[in-house]
Amino acid sequence: MGFLHIFFSALIMFFLISLLILIHEAGHFIAARMVGIRVDKFGFGLPFGPTLFSKKIGDVEILVHAFLLGGYVSFPDDEENSDLPPDSPQRYCNKTLLQRAFVISAGVICNVILAYFLIFFTGALWKHLPDNKFIVTFENFSQQASINTKKSGFQKGDIIYKINGTEIFYPIAINKFFVLSKEFDGFSKQEIIDKKFLELKKLNPKIDADKIIKAGTIIKLPNFTDEETVKLSQDNIIGLEKYNPSEIQLTPSQINLRDKINYQKIYKLDTDSYLSDIASAVSDTKKPIFITVLRNNEEINLNAVYSNKDGILGIEQSYSEKYTETKTLKELINGTFHYVNYNVGFMLYTLGKLFTGKIPVSEMNGIIAIAKVGTEIIAYKGIFQGLLLTAMISLNLAIINILPIPALDGGHLLFIIIEKLTGKPVSKKFVEYISNFFFYLLILLMIIIIYNDIHAWIIGKI
């Protein structure tokens, strides 16, 4: 892929993200004009650092700031030295609750409308829309395939349907199962270690289990058994929940002992060791992988397979994305609503995980990651995928903005609702104080997210 192609793809992605910000602020601007509120400023970017561009068009000052991550619309109410009298009908504060709510929510409404339009437009031209799921197909055995893998029962064209009982929708799921099931992963469950400890005591009755065993001692070893299969939820697979197997990590000396024993039946110690260390060493073995494939629309359970010490099973796969056809108007409308409903549901679910602390702040990514991923999607998958990503960002922007957090649109709506319920407006000083507090809090969060993006980019995570 040439540099110019990547460069132009990045420009397209930057334009699309800028469009989302402009559309959002344009929504506030148009709604304000519709209800008779004067708009003094229309800003692209946040007012930090230098102003790159400033021009008065009519009675509105258009500004472009160096800090491009955002935008704003400024009313006379935001200016202490405004020439409008306090009782002017052109002031935001003098409009009805319904009019103010309309102005505040207009940006979100425009983002939602834009998202629907982009998805509808893409489906109309592309004649299908992604189903957010993939089909993973077995093609062949690789050179790293073991005899066990080759005898598993795989046939060319088999669709990998389930692994350890979990349905497979994404290619990444397969590699996660294989890597987490690798032989000698350095972890084992405490109950397995305890069981092996008792078996070692029974096989070696003359050894004092509580004392150190001298080098040169010959130890009879119990039968090596498989560990439990890896169980992953869909949240584990897509990164919304950390995989916590509740296993004990072996110490470096236990790992060294495990590698020397290497499935032997009898082992002569070459260093002093405790029986508990030997128990840990023989407990770390391999985890079976049970794969179910679809063959001629029939579920087939293959023989258990095992990935190697590097987490490789030795199979070659191909994958294809599932699509919903949108060739007719009815299919197009249904497909658009299905695509929006699925992705909005996923966004809300993810947001719930974030607020409950199941997704740490360190895992959050922002505009840099979006721009990079978006650039690669446009460059490698085409403009239609880029448009769909833009639609999803637009919906995400709408959802975030409507949250009842001061400094966001949802926070302003919350104050309007409080005014409606109490019959009097919330103190202007309180609104200003709490909005400024949350504004700077959001800026701090933005800085953290930008750091996450840069760090993830450097280490190749994005």
Side-chain angles (χ1 to χ4, degrees), residues 35-200:
V35 299
I37 299 173
R38 193 177 85 180
V39 178
D40 290 334
K41 295 177 181 178
F42 188 104
F44 182 66
L46 297 178
F48 299 121
T51 299
L52 304 178
F53 175 82
S54 176
K55 185 176 177 64
K56 191 96 169 180
I57 300 177
D59 58 351
V60 182
E61 185 180 6
I62 308 297
L63 302 107
V64 178
H65 301 286
F67 197 81
L68 292 173
L69 304 180
Y72 64 94
V73 171
S74 178
F75 303 136
D77 307 61
D78 303 317
E79 304 293 334
E80 289 186 6
N81 301 320
S82 175
D83 58 352
L84 283 180
D87 60 348
S88 170
Q90 288 186 291
R91 283 183 175 272
Y92 168 84
C93 64
N94 295 324
K95 295 300 178 182
T96 67
L97 293 177
L98 188 60
Q99 287 173 324
R100 279 185 273 158
F102 171 59
V103 172
I104 293 300
S105 59
V108 167
I109 292 169
C110 283
N111 279 130
V112 172
I113 292 172
L114 176 64
Y116 272 100
F117 170 77
L118 289 174
I119 296 165
F120 187 90
F121 176 77
T122 300
L125 295 183
W126 205 11
K127 303 300 180 186
H128 58 245
L129 288 170
D131 233 0
N132 298 294
K133 294 178 182 177
F134 291 80
I135 297 173
V136 184
T137 306
F138 170 77
E139 294 295 337
N140 209 341
F141 296 107
S142 70
Q143 292 182 344
Q144 294 168 299
S146 65
I147 295 173
N148 166 262
T149 300
K150 290 179 178 178
K151 290 183 176 181
S152 60
F154 268 118
Q155 291 183 16
K156 183 178 174 60
D158 283 346
I159 295 172
I160 300 177
Y161 178 51
K162 290 180 181 178
I163 297 182
N164 294 346
T166 300
E167 199 166 345
I168 302 301
F169 297 124
Y170 314 102
I172 190 175
I174 295 174
N175 290 332
K176 280 199 173 186
F177 272 107
F178 292 172
V179 170
L180 291 171
S181 301
K182 69 180 180 180
E183 183 181 26
F184 291 169
D185 65 348
F187 293 85
S188 188
K189 284 190 174 292
Q190 186 63 57
E191 50 263 38
I192 298 176
I193 296 172
D194 293 341
K195 182 181 177 182
K196 295 301 176 185
F197 183 79
L198 293 174
E199 289 178 5
L200 281 164

Side-chain angles (χ1 to χ4, degrees), residues 4-14 374-376 378-380:
L4 282 178
H5 187 78
I6 296 291
F7 176 74
F8 283 117
S9 298
L11 283 181
I12 292 170
M13 195 63 222
F14 178 78
T375 297
E376 291 173 352
I378 293 171
Y380 295 100

Side-chain angles (χ1 to χ4, degrees), residues 265-326:
K265 292 184 177 181
I266 295 176
Y267 178 68
K268 183 178 181 180
L269 294 175
D270 60 358
T271 57
D272 295 349
S273 300
Y274 284 98
L275 199 66
S276 58
D277 289 329
I278 301 172
S280 295
V282 299
S283 298
D284 182 17
T285 54
K286 50 190 178 181
K287 300 178 174 71
I289 303 169
F290 297 99
I291 299 176
T292 302
V293 300
L294 287 179
R295 186 182 301 157
N296 299 321
N297 292 322
E298 183 184 352
E299 290 186 30
I300 306 292
N301 295 317
L302 305 182
N303 299 325
V305 290
Y306 302 89
S307 52
N308 63 19
K309 295 175 183 178
D310 297 316
I312 296 171
L313 187 63
I315 62 172
E316 295 174 355
Q317 315 138 45
S318 64
Y319 65 90
S320 58
E321 194 167 3
K322 289 184 177 181
Y323 291 96
T324 298
E325 288 192 352
T326 55

Side-chain angles (χ1 to χ4, degrees), residues 406 427-440:
S427 165
K428 188 175 180 180
K429 285 188 177 180
F430 175 76
V431 171
E432 185 178 343
Y433 172 79
I434 197 167
S435 294
N436 285 339
F437 172 78
F438 275 94
F439 176 76
Y440 289 113

